[in-house]
Structures are given as C-alpha cells and as structure tokens.
Amino acid sequence: MKYVSVTGQSTSTFREALFSGTAPDGGLYVPETLPPFDASLLRENSESTLQSTATEILSPFVDEISRENLAAIISHALNFPIPLVNLQDNIYLLELFHGPTLAFKDVGARFMAQVMSHFLEHQQQDVTILVATSGDTGSAVAHGFYNVPHVEVFILYPSNRISPLQQQQMTTLGGNITAVEVEGTFDDCQRLVKASLNDGDLLHQRKITSANSINVGRLLPQISYHAWGLIQLRRLFNQNDDPMVVVPSGNFGNMTAAVYAKKMGVPIRNFIAATNANDVMLQYLRSGKFEPRPSIPTYSNAMDVGNPSNLSRLQALYRGDVQELKKDIDAVSISDEETLEEIRRTYDATGRILDPHTAVGVAAARKALEWTTNSPPIIVAATAHPAKFPDVVKKAIDIDVPLPVSLQAAQNSPTHFIAIRPRYSEWKNLLRRTRGNK
Ligand SMILES: *Cc1c(COP(=O)(O)O)cnc(C)c1O
C-alpha cells in the first residue's frame, strides 16, 4: 500500500508516513486506495473478535508487516474491550473508553506505539517522540509508549490549563516518559515541538518525530472499531438495517476513520458530525467554504478545535466536492446548555452517566432522528469515560463519578515533571541534557 499526500505531491510507504507524520510538502498522508471490507465478518456465525477484525482490516494498509506480526501488535495495542451497548430505543453507544486513559485516543496511540516499536526493533534504531498536548492526546500517547523499547517520549503541556487528572496521567509514569510543563499556552507547546522538528542541529543528533493526531499510525486503527460496532449491532442486537453513525468531533480523525470504513464497504447509512459551539464543519457544509476560526472553550474541551486538521483528508476523499460529502455527512452543533441537559436526560431515563463529549453525540443523535425517515439504528461513538470530566458531570446531575480502579492507583503515585519557560533555548537545553540518558 502506498500513501500519498492530500496535495498529491508526495508518496511514501507506511513506515515512512508513520515516522515522518506529515509529507515533505506539508500535506497529510492518506492511503492510496481503500481495500474492500470482507462482509463475511458480519455473518452471525462469524467468530470474529475486535482483534481479528482489526487484523483483517489493517493488514492491507500495513503490508510491510507480516500478518502474524501484525496480529501480535494488535493484541498488544487493543488489549481492552470496545463493547456496543443499547442506550435507549434505537440508540447504541460504542464504548471506546475502556483503555488505560479512558478515552478513544488510546486506540490510535497504542497502535502507533506498537508498530513504531516493531520497526525500530528490526532497524535497531532509537527515536525521540515529541508531543504537544492540551490534555487527552498527551496522556494517551504517554501510556501508549510507556516502557516501549527504543522510544523516548517528551510530552509538553501548558501549565494550569489541563485537568488535574490529565496531569496525573502524564506525570506519574516516569521511565521513558518525560513530562514537560511549559509556562505558557498550548500554542507555545506546539511551537516548541515544531521548531525542534525543523532544527537541523538537533536532528543530526537524534531521530525525532511527533505523535500528533494527524499521523496515519493513529488514524488507521480507528477504522477497525467502526467495523466492530457494525458486527456487534448485527450479532448482539439482530439489527439488520444500516445504522447512522454519530461521531463527536474536533479534529475529525475519528470521523475520517468512520468514513473510510463506509467507503471500504462496512454497511453504514450515513454520518452525523456532532460538534460543540466550534461548528466550522456545519458552516462548511452549509456554505461550501471552509473558514477556520479560533477555537471557543466549551464543556467538551477535547473538541474545541477551530481548524480541524483532518478536513483535508475528507476533502481529498470526496475530491473537494462538498455536495458529494453532504450525501454522507451531516453536522449538528450542540451548545453547552444542551450538553448538560443531555447528561441529565440520559441519567434520568437510563441511569447511565455520559461524559460531555458523548453527550454532544447523543444530543446530536436525537436531533438527527427528528428529521430522518424510518428511524434507523444509531451508533454514537462514546469517546470518553465520565470520570475524566467530573466537574461537568457534577454541574449537570450533582453526582461525583467514581474513579475507575486503574486511575485510583495513579492518584497516589508521585508526580515528576520539568517546568520550563516557553523559550526554545530552554527547551533545547533540556532535550540536549537528556541525550542518551535512557
Ligand atoms: C479527541 C477527542 C474527541 C475528538 O476526536 P477527533 O478525532 O479529533 O474528532 C472527542 N472526544 C474526546 C473525548 C476526545 O478526547
């Protein structure tokens, strides 16, 4: 399988795309073709599991790795369940939050870590991974790469801008994970990372790459669980109608993976992009013009994105034809007030506590049902565990969500981080000091 830049200028192998992140022309990599989905996996008597489905789906994308090795990589990466549960009526939740950091980003981060480690092991090479994070990405990447041989990770996060739980998830691991608290904003963190990736002097000393959400190594594994959602819908709930799939979206990586699944032949009727007040996608579908905006802070803060990076991948897939894109994807924007209402409504009706991102998805699903004929089943991607967002949940239903046991352990562990000012010289010195210090 070849990977091409969305601009059409560069091509690469999976391995090159994985280690370089973006193409030399600055575009995002996309697979050159989308291999067909094996529909026999949907049969009732099929014995497919999440892991076997993922191996089936990913092996044509990653043909540089033998199927046997890929299966082993996947069983390490996807070592937690992704169940489909019925929420209410025709609405189902695909629970993507049973990984170590309780958000769906664990899937992409863990797969990326395992495939990188596989390649590095064969090349006997070491790599330094830099991540700028406003919260969820950093914790998923830190956990995904923890103790992975040949890899050293630096997570840069803005001081006082992330939740205590997120900070704890990044700073209690130690080992090959260094947490760097930058006295500045997320943009400062990103600037420092970008500057290092372009610093010839540093690159001369070590192999450096980034692990941000645009990496194909994070995108592709997400296709698997959208197929797995369909398999469960048929197998456990005998629902044979093609579902509508709702994806709470920020950078639209999860949505892009879902659309890839449909294009490969996973029987999905259409999609709803559920966003908070950051509704550039909705505006794009209405006007046909993509106009990035500064992000607005909301309760579903992992979706506070004003310039979604994966839009270029969706545009490439539909050859820039917004009318074609609209046949498959609709968008609904949900306010903070509606988010709280949905957490309340779902709790009162079902006893289930939604995190604010999933609540945006469920609220969007209810709206979409109002204008959709013959009410198809709806699968909402449940992107985070409510315990990650205790303040919003408390505000909605006045309940303290108990912390899962896995996170309670981290609460008592000592934290380690290095604080720096947002200056490149300071950051570079830090990187230099830790050279070879593994
Ligand atoms: C990152 C994140 C999202 C947004 O996913 P994208 O792939 O960026 O659209 C939604 N919900 C949660 C909980 C997240 O962490």
Side-chain angles (χ1 to χ4, degrees), residues 12-227:
S12 85
T13 62
F14 174 74
R15 178 172 31 186
E16 285 160 4
L18 177 73
F19 283 102
S20 57
T22 42
D25 62 17
L28 270 56
Y29 280 119
V30 292
E32 192 171 42
T33 56
L34 292 173
F37 171 70
D38 175 5
S40 73
L41 292 174
L42 291 171
R43 277 196 222 123
E44 218 167 296
N45 60 2
S46 148
E47 287 177 358
S48 49
T49 59
L50 166 65
Q51 292 78 10
S52 71
T53 305
T55 306
E56 200 64 50
I57 287 186
L58 294 172
S59 65
F61 286 109
V62 191
D63 49 14
E64 290 151 86
I65 299 179
S66 74
R67 205 187 159 87
E68 199 187 353
N69 285 337
L70 186 67
I73 286 170
I74 287 170
S75 68
H76 268 105
L78 300 182
N79 62 350
F80 50 88
I82 300 189
L84 184 76
V85 302
N86 184 225
L87 179 67
Q88 207 185 2
D89 307 326
N90 238 357
I91 303 180
Y92 298 82
L93 296 179
L94 183 61
E95 294 187 346
L96 303 172
F97 53 73
H98 296 288
T101 74
L102 308 183
F104 83 96
K105 290 186 176 70
D106 282 326
V107 173
R110 291 179 68 79
F111 179 78
M112 182 181 176
Q114 293 300 324
V115 279
M116 276 191 168
S117 155
H118 173 86
F119 286 127
L120 293 166
E121 185 64 41
H122 281 242
Q123 294 162 237
Q124 283 300 312
Q125 222 183 10
D126 294 341
V127 71
T128 299
I129 292 179
L130 309 180
V131 204
T133 183
S134 51
D136 271 358
T137 297
S139 40
V141 169
H143 279 258
F145 282 94
Y146 181 52
N147 278 341
V148 170
H150 303 289
V151 181
E152 190 177 5
V153 180
F154 291 85
I155 312 271
L156 285 77
Y157 62 89
S159 55
N160 305 322
R161 309 265 178 122
I162 60 170
S163 76
L165 185 62
Q166 286 169 331
Q167 190 190 29
Q168 189 185 81
Q169 288 180 323
M170 292 186 270
T171 57
T172 50
L173 291 170
N176 63 330
I177 311 294
T178 303
V180 182
E181 184 167 294
V182 178
E183 294 165 18
T185 62
F186 169 64
D187 291 334
D188 290 320
C189 300
Q190 218 162 19
R191 184 171 48 76
L192 296 178
V193 167
K194 279 201 178 137
S196 342
L197 292 169
N198 292 315
D199 184 335
D201 180 35
L202 268 183
L203 297 177
H204 192 67
Q205 297 162 7
R206 53 165 96 208
K207 193 173 166 63
I208 299 183
T209 187
S210 155
N212 55 15
S213 67
I214 48 123
N215 195 295
V216 288
R218 283 182 57 182
L219 177 70
L220 297 175
Q222 302 181 51
I223 301 170
S224 326
Y225 57 65
H226 289 293

Side-chain angles (χ1 to χ4, degrees), residues 102-105 136-137 166 213 218-219 222 225 247-256 274 300-305 308-310 355-358 381-385 388-389:
L102 308 183
F104 83 96
K105 290 186 176 70
D136 271 358
T137 297
Q166 286 169 331
S213 67
R218 283 182 57 182
L219 177 70
Q222 302 181 51
Y225 57 65
V247 185
S249 293
N251 264 321
F252 284 81
N254 203 356
M255 175 61 92
T256 302
S300 44
N301 60 19
M303 311 197 303
D304 294 347
V305 179
S309 47
N310 282 287
D355 95 281
H357 306 77
T358 307
T383 51
H385 189 288
K388 286 202 93 165
F389 302 93

Side-chain angles (χ1 to χ4, degrees), residues 288-302:
K289 265 188 284 181
F290 174 49
E291 289 174 345
R293 288 196 313 245
S295 63
I296 308 163
T298 73
Y299 291 154
S300 44
N301 60 19

Side-chain angles (χ1 to χ4, degrees), residues 232-434:
Q232 295 181 84
L233 188 67
R234 296 276 166 92
R235 205 187 279 171
L236 305 178
F237 299 101
N238 289 316
Q239 282 276 11
N240 289 315
D241 292 340
D242 296 353
M244 191 149 93
V245 169
V246 181
V247 185
S249 293
N251 264 321
F252 284 81
N254 203 356
M255 175 61 92
T256 302
V259 177
Y260 281 176
K262 176 176 165 68
K263 295 280 179 193
M264 291 167 71
V266 176
I268 294 169
R269 171 176 156 146
N270 65 332
F271 301 96
I272 305 291
T275 64
N276 54 34
N278 296 280
D279 64 351
V280 282
M281 186 63 168
L282 180 68
Q283 300 308 329
Y284 171 61
L285 294 179
R286 277 193 189 149
S287 70
K289 265 188 284 181
F290 174 49
E291 289 174 345
R293 288 196 313 245
S295 63
I296 308 163
T298 73
Y299 291 154
S300 44
N301 60 19
M303 311 197 303
D304 294 347
V305 179
N307 186 4
S309 47
N310 282 287
L311 193 68
S312 69
R313 283 191 168 120
L314 288 172
Q315 286 172 317
L317 192 61
Y318 292 90
R319 299 192 173 75
D321 187 341
V322 71
Q323 296 309 325
E324 282 302 307
L325 192 143
K326 271 164 82 165
K327 287 182 191 162
D328 286 342
I329 307 177
D330 228 317
V332 175
S333 162
I334 299 295
S335 68
D336 271 352
E337 207 35 64
E338 291 171 309
T339 306
L340 294 183
E341 261 166 41
E342 187 55 63
I343 296 174
R344 254 175 246 135
R345 159 144 91 166
T346 294
Y347 183 68
D348 289 345
T350 70
R352 223 175 253 278
I353 302 177
L354 302 178
D355 95 281
H357 306 77
T358 307
V360 166
V362 173
R366 294 194 203 277
K367 284 198 179 176
L369 267 182
E370 286 168 17
W371 78 68
T372 308
T373 48
N374 34 1
S375 338
I378 301 191
I379 296 179
V380 179
T383 51
H385 189 288
K388 286 202 93 165
F389 302 93
D391 299 349
V392 183
V393 171
K394 178 105 182 158
K395 204 182 204 69
I397 51 178
D398 199 24
I399 284 179
D400 294 306
V401 195
L403 211 54
V405 180
S406 58
L407 293 192
Q408 288 172 13
Q411 268 203 318
N412 304 318
S413 314
T415 61
H416 300 280
F417 60 86
I418 299 170
I420 60 167
R421 284 168 297 177
R423 294 193 189 146
Y424 189 61
S425 55
E426 219 165 293
W427 159 236
K428 189 167 168 173
N429 272 338
L430 165 63
L431 257 182
R432 280 236 173 98
R433 271 208 311 279
T434 53

